[in-house]
Every structure is written in C-alpha cells, then in structure tokens.
Amino acid sequence: MAIDQAQAERVAEIMATQRVRFINLQFSDIVGIVKQVTIPASQWRIAVDHGIWFDGSSIEGFARVAESDMYLVPELSTFTVIPWESDQLATARVICDVYMPNGSPFSGDPRYVLKRALAEAAALGYVYNTGPELEFFLFKPRPDGTLSITPHDQASYFDVSTDLAHNVRRQMVEALEAVGIEVEATHHEVAVGQHEIDFRYDNALRTADNVITLRTTLKAIAQRNGLHCTFMPKPISGINGSGMHTHQSFTDLKTGKNLFAASGSQYGLSELALRFIAGQLEHARGMAAIIAPLVNSYKRLVPGFEAPTYITWARTNRSALIRVPRVSDGRAASTRIELRCPDPAANPYLAFAVMLTAGLDGIQRKLKPPEPAEENLYHVDVARRSLPAMPRSLGEALEELRRDEVIQVALGGHLFERYVEAKTSEWEDYRRTVNQWEVDRYLPIY
C-alpha cells in the first residue's frame, strides 16, 4: 500500500504529543451507519502498513459468510483526536477504505462508490464540489431516559431569546472545528427544536467524510447536554422536516475555474451547468431512494413545508427541486446549484455519487432543462399539477430505482442489489405495521 509520508509524520506527531491510546477505524455500511474497529495505539503501524482485518459478513449489505474476510486501510488525512473522549484514554478516529483479500477495493464500500464516480468526473476534467446543509432536531428525553419528541425549545428561524440550544450549538461548533471541520454558520431553523450547522464547501469526498463526522459529533455533544440529536427527516407531524440541501458545482481540474459560471447568461449559469441540472431532473425519481432513503423521508416530501415535491428548477422558488442561489457581483466563482430533496438520513457517499452520475449523464447526452418554474408550486392551478413529481413513498422510489439503469451503474451491481434488498425489507415491514393513526381513525368507526 502506498503511504503518504507527510501525512504519516503528521499523525505520528499527533499521537506522540496528545498521547493517543486508542484509534477508532471508522467506515460506513450501505445505509450510512458508522461502524468501527478500535485498536490500541501499539497496532497503528500494522494498520497503516497492512490494514486491519474484519468480518464483513456482520455489516449491513457487505458480504455473505462465505466471503466475509475484508480489511480496513486508514485514510491518513482524516486522522484526528476525538475531543470529547477522556484525556486519560485519549482516542483518535480515522476514516477507512474497505478492501478485499486480493487487494482490490470492495465494490460495496460506499466510500469507494463515490471515489469511482469522482474518478469518472476527473477523467472529463471536472472536480465535483458539494456543500451540504444538515438540519437536525434536539429533543428532551423522558425522565426515565427513553426518547421523546419533546423539542428542547420553542424558538423559530434565527430566533435568539427563546433559542435554548444556542450554547449547545456553540459546543457543537467547537467540537467540529477540533476534528478539522471548518464551520461557516449555525442558527435555529424554522421548526421548534430544529437547528442547522453549515460547513465549508469542498470536494465531494471530503464533504461526505465531514457529513459522517458531523452526525457522530453532534449526537455526542447533545448527549453530554442531556439531549437527543436526531437527523430523522420528519419526526413531528405538522411542522417542517429536516433536509440536507446540497450545493453543487464543477471546477476545472487544472485551473480551478468554476465551470458552472457564465456571465450574461440565464441566472449566470454555463451550458455545462444547465445540462447538469437537466441530468439531475431526468434522474430525480431514480435516485430518490438514495437521497431520501427512509419510509419517513416521504412524510417530509409533501406540499407546504418548504420541501420539494415537483421536479422543477428555479432561482427564487424554494419549492423547486433545484434552486440557483444568487451570487454577489464580482463573485462568479461562487456560482452553484442547490438540490433540495436530499435529507440528512442519506448515506452521503451514495447520495453524492448518484447526484454526480445523474448530472454527468445530462452533460454527456446534452440534455436541456425545462423552463424554470418561479411560482410557488404549492399554489399553482390544477393544470400545472401535471408537472412531474417526486415519488410519494419509499416503495414507489424503489420501483423507480429498479427502472433507472444510470443510477444502478453508479451504485454498482453488488451495492445496488444489497441496497434494494435492505430497503425493500424496510418498506414491507412498514406496510405490515398498523400505526397509531389507523387505530385512532378507524377503530371507533368500524
């Protein structure tokens, strides 16, 4: 294995100066849940030089028992000390890639799926950049410690006086910056108990790693404050759900120039950007099961709560699937597009991989987007409701995924099969379950 000597020296210095005792080797299963193998510091050189073996058959969607042996290779640039662990047992974490016994990358590793898509973009001269904005709720557990959906505060968008989590968010920001994530802004969101923390726009692999780290970090800091942090898309009926609005752009691999920018054009977008938009609109239904992955995700994607339901694009319209944010005069390098349907439960590696592949398909086929729809799509007349819409359930989204060969290729055969298998099981389990709404609605009548 090729080792980045500069990074290896950086890590060695951190381990010595901070007296690191343990290292968590982290990776993601197919649905985006963080998994880890912990090793003592004495085994670090072995991990770097040879990798650490583990049983892949125990991980969701990874392998069958007969093909279980896999090993983890640390990505040294992600090595960081965990600030909330005990000083007496200083612990670091490093994100890893998953490999097969023959030394080839594991095709079912979500991080590899994204790296493969990024390599395809790089072959065309593009660097894919993303800036996800993760929303989340903070809830107060019940006195016995069980989870509840009681909001931590009664504040709303940008409120101050009733925002009880202001101090908690500052602790979260400090922890994120301690693990190497540059936070740009944090504020209260629209719904009671709902918050947002935005970090720096960067290449998609780094931001996907940061999403995984952010979710873990925020949960840990919330727990230290007696709260529960959740990235569930729609935990409370009747109020806004949580999204992961994702800003995107291409820069030139050689010059670093923003390839989505074109002065004097519609919304300041280049032909390349318009084709990218057209590709994502073309495959929006096919990638829905990846970017909105839960049964609960489709309780968020309903009219009236700032979540997109129709497959359209616009500048000022926040009910559109893709929005083109305004940029200040003289800052064309900031030109980007915003996909508003992903939610924070998505596996970021898979989400960014399918988003990129869909956009590249639009570029390669020279697709043109429809006319932008600037009116509020929740209040358009009946005739306009013939607009194409996002799937209304996880079951419908899975059917669309099975039809979309471009998105299937982006995932790869192994991961596509395992993902559909896992999510179909989730959907069927939901369909068999009688929920409280049904009992309240029908039991008194029938």
Side-chain angles (χ1 to χ4, degrees):
M1 296 184 296
I3 299 172
D4 185 327
Q5 290 301 325
Q7 286 290 350
E9 292 173 6
R10 179 187 73 89
V11 170
E13 182 178 356
I14 291 173
M15 291 182 65
T17 57
Q18 301 202 35
R19 298 181 181 180
V20 172
R21 300 280 299 276
F22 295 94
I23 302 102
N24 296 334
L25 307 179
Q26 293 187 346
F27 59 103
S28 163
D29 69 8
I30 64 171
V31 297
I33 303 301
V34 174
K35 305 294 181 180
Q36 69 183 28
V37 175
T38 302
I39 60 172
S42 60
Q43 299 300 302
W44 174 243
R45 257 340 285 190
I46 295 174
V48 173
D49 293 338
H50 307 288
I52 296 294
W53 292 89
F54 75 103
D55 179 8
S57 66
S58 301
I59 306 301
E60 176 77 73
F62 264 35
R64 295 178 287 270
V65 173
E67 53 187 29
S68 61
D69 289 338
M70 298 177 180
Y71 64 94
L72 301 172
V73 175
E75 173 62 65
L76 298 181
S77 64
T78 68
F79 186 98
T80 184
V81 175
I82 302 172
W84 57 86
E85 295 281 358
S86 168
D87 292 338
Q88 299 301 314
L89 294 172
T91 302
R93 84 87 233 251
V94 64
I95 295 174
C96 299
D97 293 310
V98 183
Y99 283 80
M100 300 296 290
N102 64 4
S104 63
F106 171 46
S107 62
D109 175 13
R111 198 168 191 266
Y112 171 71
V113 169
L114 176 55
K115 291 172 80 172
R116 185 176 59 204
L118 292 172
E120 293 177 5
L124 299 171
Y126 309 140
V127 175
Y128 179 51
N129 303 301
T130 58
E133 301 171 346
L134 278 80
E135 298 168 339
F136 58 95
F137 280 86
L138 292 176
F139 291 136
K140 295 185 291 188
R142 298 185 182 92
D144 63 0
T146 57
L147 298 182
S148 77
I149 54 171
T150 303
H152 176 52
D153 59 40
Q154 294 299 313
S156 187
Y157 210 33
F158 297 125
D159 279 355
V160 177
S161 61
T162 53
D163 180 3
L164 302 181
H166 176 61
N167 185 51
V168 177
R169 288 202 309 274
R170 287 188 296 179
Q171 293 176 47
M172 290 174 169
V173 170
E174 287 183 347
L176 290 171
E177 293 187 334
V179 296
I181 296 177
E182 184 177 340
V183 174
E184 292 189 333
T186 174
H187 59 83
H188 200 286
E189 257 296 337
V190 174
V192 292
Q194 188 183 36
H195 310 270
E196 178 176 311
I197 294 179
D198 303 331
F199 54 83
R200 186 178 179 181
Y201 197 76
D202 210 329
N203 74 75
L205 183 62
R206 187 168 293 120
T207 55
D209 287 341
N210 286 345
V211 168
I212 293 291
T213 302
L214 180 142
R215 292 194 305 209
T216 304
T217 302
L218 267 54
K219 283 181 173 290
I221 299 304
Q223 188 173 29
R224 289 169 66 94
N225 284 272
L227 300 171
H228 176 67
C229 172
T230 180
F231 297 94
M232 181 179 175
K234 186 81 168 184
I236 304 176
S237 298
I239 64 174
N240 286 19
S242 292
M244 186 176 71
H245 307 151
T246 303
H247 295 251
Q248 310 164 83
S249 69
F250 278 168
T251 50
D252 186 283
L253 184 63
K254 294 181 179 178
T255 67
K257 179 183 177 182
N258 188 327
L259 297 176
F260 277 13
S263 60
S265 61
Q266 184 181 32
Y267 300 151
L269 296 176
S270 66
E271 189 68 30
L272 186 80
L274 293 172
R275 291 172 178 173
F276 187 92
I277 289 172
Q280 290 200 333
L281 295 177
E282 176 87 359
H283 295 286
R285 289 177 62 83
M287 62 183 182
I290 306 298
I291 58 181
L294 308 183
V295 167
N296 181 255
S297 298
Y298 298 87
K299 306 293 177 72
R300 167 182 169 257
L301 298 178
V302 296
F305 296 98
E306 292 193 5
T309 56
Y310 295 108
I311 301 174
T312 60
W313 71 290
R315 159 151 284 177
T316 60
N317 187 357
R318 291 180 179 271
S319 63
L321 192 76
I322 294 177
R323 189 176 73 90
V324 183
R326 294 184 184 276
V327 296
S328 303
D329 291 341
R331 297 195 63 191
S334 299
T335 300
R336 62 206 185 279
I337 67 169
E338 177 190 18
L339 185 67
R340 294 179 60 80
C341 51
D343 68 50
N347 184 325
Y349 301 112
L350 300 185
F352 296 166
V354 299
M355 288 158 57
L356 170 58
T357 301
L360 287 175
D361 186 57
I363 292 169
Q364 291 163 344
R365 292 167 57 197
K366 299 182 179 179
L367 299 180
K368 293 184 178 180
E371 287 297 311
E374 291 294 2
E375 69 269 39
N376 188 330
L377 298 175
Y378 305 143
H379 300 109
V380 296
D381 58 38
V382 175
R384 288 298 302 276
R385 290 193 180 275
S386 61
L387 288 168
M390 290 293 285
R392 292 178 295 178
S393 70
L394 179 60
E396 186 179 343
L398 289 169
E399 288 300 318
E400 292 294 334
L401 176 56
R402 293 185 182 98
R403 296 188 187 105
D404 196 320
E405 294 183 0
V406 169
I407 301 303
Q408 291 177 34
V409 170
L411 297 173
H414 175 97
L415 199 143
F416 165 71
E417 292 176 5
R418 298 296 191 275
Y419 189 89
V420 169
E421 180 182 325
K423 289 298 171 179
T424 299
S425 175
E426 182 178 333
W427 171 244
E428 291 300 329
D429 186 47
Y430 173 74
R431 291 202 326 127
R432 289 190 293 264
T433 301
V434 177
N435 63 42
Q436 191 60 45
W437 182 92
E438 294 171 279
V439 173
D440 293 342
R441 176 79 175 228
Y442 302 129
L443 190 62
I445 301 172
Y446 298 100

